[in-house]
Amino acid sequence: MLLFFEPWLQSLEDILRKCKRRPNPAEAFYKSDARSMLFRLETLSRIGRGMLDKKKFDTLYDRFKQLEDILGAMDHAETMLEQLGAIKGLAKYAAARYSKAFREELRQLALILEQDGWYSGVAFQQVREAVASPVFKEDVKFRHKLSEFLARELEKVEAQYRFGELNPHDLEGGLHELRRKLRWFSIYGAVLQGRLQLRKVPVTDPRLQKYCSKEIVHSPFNKLPLTPRGVKALEVQSTYFYALSWLIQELGKWKYVAQLNEELESLLRSSGVTDAATLSSLRARLRDTLPCDPAAIPVMAEDAIDDFIYRDRILMRLARDIRRSEN
């Protein structure tokens, strides 16, 4: 597995080496592309625990996720401060909450980078030793394991939605979690070094046209690495992969709007503002900046997801393509 991990480990190590020379290394790390590298390392850890050694790769996953979660919390605080702090009448409340949250996460990040051996390089040595021990062999057995892992991941998401575990009327545990699970599959393609490919096909079903906009088709996220010579890649039809990308993008937009609205309500509750007219005015000011009504988002998301899963059967088709291409 080191073959897959090494490019992202090297990139993360290079980032940390540069950050250490900055006046505030932890803040420089936050402003770098580190989170993207950590996402990819988390993704590979998920593949490793699903195919090879659950205990070992769970430990690695948690290690990468600890850093990525902190960077995510810092980004959230900064974004909320920028968006809600720009609303007249909310600036001081937003600054008090989100500036404090950002500073606390930054302190925690600096502590972990130092104490867990990321700055010293010990952490990288430990990760490389862990991922080097499972023997990687490009053979039929490995290909079958990879195929089954990817197909099962897709089928599991569909089952979780079908049986109500992923409820779009629940922002964090439903809408956001569903998007997160779908997003993993798109990142699998980016980290498998060409072992998952798109088979370009014409879009013959008019219902699928909306998924294949120029923005989606030409997105850099949908350009997968070339397959190494001598390796037979698993394939999915391009239309279905584009549909996955489209839904991830739409859910992201809706999640952001719903999150802003939810944060506003939380901020208002903690602000001590009780005047009904003032509260109404502040809510209206946020709504004026949003592309849609937050109250409508759960139903809009549910309609889109239902079409994606039940009408167009995208997850089923992706899983089917992967199993077909194994042979």
Side-chain angles (χ1 to χ4, degrees):
M1 286 295 287
L2 183 59
L3 168 71
F4 297 109
F5 274 82
E6 186 56 37
W8 314 111
L9 287 172
Q10 186 62 57
S11 294
L12 188 64
E13 201 166 20
D14 290 345
I15 287 170
L16 271 167
R17 191 177 298 114
K18 293 175 183 176
C19 291
K20 283 170 63 178
R21 299 196 291 265
R22 303 292 293 276
N24 189 331
E27 188 168 6
F29 186 72
Y30 164 68
K31 292 179 178 178
S32 73
D33 196 31
R35 194 178 181 197
S36 178
M37 301 305 109
L38 289 165
F39 266 131
R40 284 158 173 76
L41 291 165
E42 284 180 70
T43 304
L44 287 167
S45 300
R46 288 173 60 87
I47 295 172
R49 74 186 185 187
M51 290 177 52
L52 299 168
D53 186 327
K54 185 178 189 308
K55 184 177 180 181
K56 178 177 291 186
F57 284 95
D58 263 344
T59 300
L60 289 178
Y61 177 81
D62 291 341
R63 196 165 192 179
F64 298 131
K65 183 171 169 45
Q66 181 185 40
L67 288 174
E68 191 269 312
D69 279 349
I70 293 175
L71 296 179
M74 292 172 70
D75 181 66
H76 175 77
E78 196 169 56
T79 301
M80 292 301 110
L81 178 58
E82 179 183 346
Q83 296 298 316
L84 296 179
I87 297 175
K88 186 178 178 181
L90 280 180
K92 66 177 182 180
Y93 303 118
R97 169 180 285 197
Y98 299 115
S99 295
K100 179 182 178 183
F102 184 90
R103 290 193 301 270
E104 288 176 350
E105 295 293 345
L106 181 60
R107 282 194 294 270
Q108 182 68 9
L109 177 63
L111 188 67
I112 291 172
L113 289 173
E114 181 66 44
Q115 294 188 350
D116 284 12
W118 293 105
Y119 282 146
S120 67
V122 171
F124 289 100
Q125 181 181 347
Q126 291 169 340
V127 171
R128 287 186 171 104
E129 288 174 356
V131 300
S133 52
V135 177
F136 169 78
K137 187 178 179 182
E138 195 84 38
D139 60 5
V140 174
K141 184 178 179 182
F142 180 87
R143 182 180 167 78
H144 173 70
K145 279 189 172 184
L146 180 60
S147 169
E148 280 302 302
F149 168 77
L150 295 174
R152 284 198 311 269
E153 287 277 293
L154 293 163
E155 291 162 349
K156 183 178 178 181
V157 175
E158 178 166 340
Q160 288 174 324
Y161 181 75
R162 186 180 296 274
F163 293 106
E165 185 177 335
L166 296 170
N167 180 359
H169 292 263
D170 172 7
L171 174 60
E172 184 61 33
L175 184 65
H176 190 188
E177 185 62 21
L178 173 61
R179 180 177 183 269
R180 187 183 291 118
K181 288 178 180 294
L182 294 174
R183 192 178 175 202
W184 284 125
F185 187 81
S186 69
I187 307 177
Y188 291 149
V191 301
L192 282 170
Q193 297 184 17
R195 287 158 182 83
L196 179 65
Q197 287 295 336
L198 306 187
R199 180 159 59 86
K200 296 295 178 68
V201 295
V203 186
T204 57
D205 186 342
R207 298 180 309 182
L208 303 182
Q209 289 286 353
K210 71 176 182 180
Y211 298 132
C212 301
S213 66
K214 286 185 179 180
E215 178 188 5
I216 293 294
V217 172
H218 297 293
S219 168
F221 297 110
N222 293 329
K223 306 298 180 187
L224 301 183
L226 295 175
T227 304
R229 182 175 297 179
V231 173
K232 184 181 178 184
L234 300 170
E235 289 185 336
V236 295
Q237 293 177 62
S238 56
T239 305
Y240 308 143
F241 197 83
Y242 295 150
L244 182 75
S245 184
W246 179 89
L247 185 60
I248 291 169
Q249 177 177 276
E250 293 304 299
L251 292 179
K253 293 175 183 176
W254 292 326
K255 183 206 78 171
Y256 178 68
V257 171
Q259 198 171 53
L260 271 175
N261 187 65
E262 193 173 79
E263 287 285 343
L264 172 67
E265 292 303 318
S266 176
L267 196 58
L268 290 175
R269 287 192 296 271
S270 65
S271 68
V273 176
T274 57
D275 179 68
T278 302
L279 292 172
S280 179
S281 174
L282 291 171
R283 291 185 177 109
R285 288 173 197 170
L286 175 64
R287 283 198 303 271
D288 289 343
T289 70
L290 300 177
C292 61
D293 179 4
I297 285 174
V299 175
M300 292 164 59
E302 191 169 63
D303 286 345
I305 299 164
D306 283 353
D307 281 351
F308 176 88
I309 288 180
Y310 298 131
R311 188 195 71 178
D312 301 325
R313 308 197 71 185
I314 300 299
L315 295 181
M316 180 278 291
R317 287 169 159 175
L318 284 168
R320 178 205 61 194
D321 280 0
I322 287 170
R323 287 199 169 98
R324 278 180 177 172
S325 68
E326 182 193 342
N327 301 316

